[in-house]
Amino acid sequence: RQSDNVEDRRGMGMPRGRFVGGGLGTIALLLVAMYFGVDPSVVLQGVQAVNDTADQGPTAPRTPPPGQESARKLVGAVLADTEDTWGAIFQQMGRTYRNPKLVLFSGATQSACGTGEAAMGPFYCSEDEKVYIDLDFYRELSERFQAPGDFAQAYVIAHEIGHHVQKQLGISEQVRAKRERADERTSNALSVRMELQAD
């Protein structure tokens, strides 16, 4: 079956204006404005106008890149399999598994963890409980890393879902707390163990 939890943003482009949407970008603009004697309210109105434009929709037409349909179907099937598998395992533990969303994007997209770019490879954002992947990564996996085939592609998704499971079980938070108190070597070792466990 195909999962209903795939969010397809391919071809949408980056939303306009969100880079100044109320965080550090806005603060930096306010500081620059005050330095040059500009009324901060003028800057804030400009930021709001830019973000209102961003809310009107994507900057590019929603046309997925060609030649990715089989990869898209594989993603949907693998995600569905992880939902069924982890749903059953959590049920055996007397718990409920929350299905994550999987976001397909092209080039770059916004996540609750910041801007996600294709160069970063697939990643899991614990803040919004979504997995992000640019399907061009699969071409890189095959050509650059010499790991072709469905198994390698499925493995990538299953690994990121492993991070979602770690969050739901509280493992991510435990490791984060330990890393904050640890020296650099121990902190790095804990990160490696997290990655291996997600595998």
Side-chain angles (χ1 to χ4, degrees), residues 9 18 39 41 49 52-53 68 72 86 133 142 160 167 171 194:
R9 298 183 192 171
R18 281 300 173 208
D39 181 0
S41 66
D52 288 346
T53 302
Q68 292 187 347
R72 163 63 182 86
W86 285 111
I133 184 169
S142 176
E160 299 305 332
K167 181 190 176 180
I171 295 168
M194 279 278 287

Side-chain angles (χ1 to χ4, degrees), residues 5-29:
N5 292 302
V6 177
E7 182 181 333
D8 197 342
R9 298 183 192 171
R10 292 175 298 164
M12 290 181 69
M14 284 285 289
R16 291 185 292 256
R18 281 300 173 208
F19 65 98
V20 294
L24 293 176
T26 301
I27 293 169
L29 283 175

Side-chain angles (χ1 to χ4, degrees), residues 71-171:
R72 163 63 182 86
K73 287 181 179 177
L74 178 69
V75 165
V78 172
L79 185 62
D81 188 59
T82 64
E83 292 166 352
D84 296 343
T85 301
W86 285 111
I89 292 171
F90 270 59
Q91 189 173 34
Q92 290 169 6
M93 296 188 298
R95 303 180 65 157
T96 301
Y97 178 68
R98 292 189 310 275
N99 291 333
K101 293 277 187 184
L102 190 148
V103 178
L104 300 175
F105 69 96
S106 303
T109 193
Q110 281 298 115
S111 78
C113 299
T115 302
E117 297 182 1
M120 298 165 51
F123 66 95
Y124 172 70
C125 174
S126 61
E127 298 299 314
D128 57 18
E129 297 193 349
K130 293 181 179 181
V131 172
Y132 293 81
I133 184 169
D134 183 327
L135 292 180
D136 278 345
F137 174 77
Y138 285 153
R139 186 170 41 80
E140 283 274 298
L141 198 64
S142 176
E143 295 173 4
R144 183 177 172 191
F145 299 107
Q146 300 299 304
D150 292 353
F151 180 82
Q153 295 177 15
Y155 185 91
V156 167
I157 297 168
H159 172 86
E160 299 305 332
I161 296 300
H163 288 307
H164 179 64
V165 171
Q166 288 171 329
K167 181 190 176 180
Q168 287 199 50
L169 295 178
I171 295 168

